[in-house]
Amino acid sequence: MTSPTCLIIDSMHESLFPMLTAIGWEAVSLPTITRDEIKTKHHGFDGLIVRSKTTIDRDLLGENPTIKFVARAGAGIDNLDVEYLHEKGIQILHASEGNRDAVGEYTVGALLSLMRNIPHADHQVREGIWEREGNRGEELMGKTVGIIGYGNMGNAFARRLAGFACNVLAYDKYKSGFSDAYCKEAGMEELFVETDILSLHIPLTNETRKLITLDYLKRFNKKIIVVNTARGEIVSLADMAQAVQQGQVRGAVLDVLENEKLKTFTVEQQQAFNILREKTNVIFTPHIAGWTFESHVKINVALTDKIKALELTR
């Protein structure tokens, strides 16, 4: 019996290949393959391993794919046409377990950096400015942290808040009964009243696209800090700029942005970005929350474990 085969269409950490061999899979890696080339080369493969550069849909795989699973080397699956894949009986695997620790640590680190004015203070000292009082920060202890989405990422963040004596409230529309040692399950109305710091850990779907608007942010009773390590399109950049200017949002950590690449900004988004990048109470990073040397390997471990657990018929 021949070994099952998978096609890898993105650059992957080298640790993946011996892991696949160890579970009896053969891999063909074509990281520079184009979309048109994938259309002709995927036939005959049992699995497809992807990151985010390619949308996996009917146009790509056609009506009679041999692919039995698509494995996404990461957490989000917004580049996968879930309805089509389900229709064709193609299983969807993702590796959110692989970078949840990285996201949890980043979220705490970035939040502390913002609250203690570390990026701004660092810049000043490099310019010869020694300003202590102007960089007086605030403590995380005692704050109410509202988490939207209590999956792998939300839970990882809550766990890392355990030593800070915060009040952690979590809302998840699709879960119930998940209160644990790290958070209290709450409804959105409670988050609107109590939240000091809002952290987003939800996937990008039609339901969550532009969920965070100016009107939404105005529903919070307090002037809040917003942290987004999920997907940029969840937060309207233009509305975030208005909320920061008006003081409804008193600080923000944005690891992800609408469209992500500056050259694809709309005029409105570019104007909003120009406003926000002048603010010392806003931190930007280039989608690195889950991006560590360790997570690179952990993602591959999670994927191969899930591939190994599949029962495939050839």
Side-chain angles (χ1 to χ4, degrees), residues 280-300:
T280 59
N281 60 340
V282 177
I283 292 177
F284 294 106
T285 51
H287 202 153
I288 58 171
W291 202 250
T292 64
F293 293 106
E294 293 84 357
S295 69
H296 226 165
V297 177
K298 289 179 182 179
I299 283 171
N300 291 342

Side-chain angles (χ1 to χ4, degrees), residues 29-49:
S29 179
L30 299 173
T32 62
I33 192 172
T34 66
R35 182 175 178 86
D36 285 341
E37 289 171 337
I38 296 169
K39 290 180 180 181
T40 60
K41 289 186 180 294
H42 73 80
H43 296 287
F45 285 95
D46 301 289
L48 187 65
I49 298 180

Side-chain angles (χ1 to χ4, degrees), residues 51-53 72-80 94 96 99 103 148 153 199-205 208-212 226-237 253-260 287-290:
R51 282 195 182 279
S52 56
K53 75 175 184 183
R72 164 79 168 87
I77 58 171
D78 38 283
N79 63 315
L80 308 185
H94 64 94
S96 55
N99 59 0
V103 171
I148 300 182
M153 308 305 174
S199 190
L200 306 174
H201 299 280
I202 49 179
L204 177 63
T205 65
T208 63
R209 188 179 297 276
K210 287 190 181 294
L211 172 68
I212 310 302
V226 177
V227 183
N228 185 15
T229 59
R231 288 291 185 267
E233 286 77 10
I234 292 170
V235 177
S236 166
L237 195 60
V253 174
L254 302 175
D255 181 51
V256 287
L257 296 172
E258 283 186 292
N259 301 337
E260 297 251 325
H287 202 153
I288 58 171

Side-chain angles (χ1 to χ4, degrees), residues 161-214:
L161 290 173
F164 288 92
C166 297
N167 175 33
V168 182
L169 303 177
Y171 168 77
D172 195 309
K173 183 176 181 178
Y174 297 100
K175 290 185 177 182
S176 61
F178 58 82
S179 291
D180 55 25
Y182 310 105
C183 82
K184 172 192 169 187
E185 180 182 353
M188 270 311 303
E189 291 305 317
E190 187 173 359
L191 263 69
F192 285 137
V193 173
E194 300 294 337
T195 296
D196 296 299
I197 298 160
L198 180 69
S199 190
L200 306 174
H201 299 280
I202 49 179
L204 177 63
T205 65
N206 290 334
E207 186 178 27
T208 63
R209 188 179 297 276
K210 287 190 181 294
L211 172 68
I212 310 302
T213 62
L214 182 60

Side-chain angles (χ1 to χ4, degrees), residues 55-75:
T55 298
I56 311 302
D57 55 13
R58 190 183 306 274
D59 173 70
L60 185 76
L61 299 182
E63 294 301 331
N64 299 295
T66 60
I67 298 294
K68 297 178 176 64
F69 73 82
V70 175
R72 164 79 168 87

